[in-house]
Amino acid sequence: MFTGIVEEIGRVLAIQPVSGGGLRLRIGCRTVVEGTRLGDSIAVDGVCLTVTDLAPDSFQVELQPVTVRRSTLGRIAVGDLVNLERALPVGGRFGGHYVQGHVDTVGRIVTMYRDGAALIVRIAAPAEAMRYVVERGFIAVDGASLTVQRRFPSEFEVSLVAYTQEHITLPRKRPGALVNLEVDIIAKYVEQFLALGASGALSLESLHRAGFVSARTEVES
């Protein structure tokens, strides 16, 4: 799991196709390789990937075909900049929101404009993602935890303070660019919970199937 607090901006050093439609990426960086071991997870532009090779100034990951199709990493090029975050350690400081590193969909930057020192970015998103977007709620854009400032029928806006502008890739992009989006997982759980209740199928067994309670949970009278 991740928090959406980007630790470092890395650069794509190499891309190799993998049989079956996947990709192998090597990312140049410094910070996120510290303390990282083979098999650890690093979020690359919001996509949770497993480290398969390590060097003092880079790491390697492999993308499955489904990841290539569902995220912007399938369109990435050598030299591109990417947001990087190591998985949250047990007991680590939680500064953003719950980010799984499982991209829901790809959005498109519509416009960017200034509001004083802040940079406002408007992003268009498919309906299946917009249903979970609420004003003042969380959303991960290329892995960065951001707050929704305004919501429209098919678009939303986020506001970047000066510090954030310097530490994520979003301000370096232009209108028309694609971004990875991951909606707040809590919204998905709430929707499923309410759907179970509305259908009359809400029970301890149905909650267990949905992942809300463990199989060992008992109800005491």
Side-chain angles (χ1 to χ4, degrees):
M1 190 180 71
F2 306 89
T3 70
I5 303 302
V6 175
E7 296 185 275
E8 180 180 12
I9 294 178
R11 186 180 298 274
V12 179
L13 301 179
I15 303 174
Q16 294 178 307
V18 176
S19 60
L23 290 175
R24 182 178 296 118
L25 306 180
R26 179 160 290 276
I27 311 293
C29 58
R30 286 287 184 180
T31 301
V32 300
V33 293
E34 296 176 3
T36 297
R37 299 174 296 181
L38 293 178
D40 284 353
S41 296
I42 293 179
V44 179
D45 267 359
V47 181
C48 178
L49 298 172
T50 300
V51 175
T52 59
D53 187 67
L54 273 170
D57 59 354
S58 68
F59 66 94
Q60 180 178 281
V61 291
E62 290 193 8
L63 281 64
Q64 299 299 314
V66 65
T67 306
V68 173
R69 294 191 298 267
R70 289 181 63 91
S71 75
T72 61
L73 296 185
R75 305 171 178 88
I76 207 162
V78 172
D80 283 354
L81 301 179
V82 289
N83 293 325
L84 302 176
E85 181 190 357
R86 290 168 291 189
L88 178 68
V90 175
R93 178 172 293 180
F94 198 97
H97 74 282
Y98 291 108
V99 177
Q100 295 181 293
H102 302 160
V103 172
D104 290 298
T105 189
V106 171
R108 177 178 52 82
I109 298 174
V110 177
T111 187
M112 308 170 80
Y113 62 93
R114 290 283 174 183
D115 183 9
L119 177 65
I120 310 301
V121 184
R122 183 178 290 199
I123 298 172
E128 62 265 26
M130 288 301 302
R131 66 190 296 176
Y132 303 110
V133 176
V134 297
E135 290 191 2
R136 315 312 302 166
F138 290 119
I139 191 165
V141 179
D142 281 342
S145 175
L146 300 173
T147 301
V148 177
Q149 176 176 272
R150 291 201 295 172
R151 185 193 188 282
F152 305 92
S154 60
E155 302 169 350
F156 64 91
E157 288 184 348
V158 292
S159 177
L160 310 182
V161 299
Y163 180 88
T164 304
Q165 293 173 41
E166 297 173 0
H167 289 83
I168 67 174
T169 61
L170 188 56
R172 297 167 172 79
K173 297 188 176 183
R174 295 291 178 267
L178 301 179
V179 291
N180 291 322
L181 301 178
E182 181 185 333
V183 301
D184 192 348
I185 185 63
I186 295 176
K188 292 182 179 180
Y189 277 125
V190 170
E191 179 185 58
Q192 185 162 299
F193 185 88
L194 293 175
L196 287 168
S199 68
L202 190 60
S203 65
L204 189 60
E205 182 180 356
S206 64
L207 289 174
H208 166 56
R209 290 197 303 269
F212 291 105
V213 298
S214 71
R216 298 174 62 87
T217 300
E218 297 179 1
V219 177
E220 297 182 0
S221 60

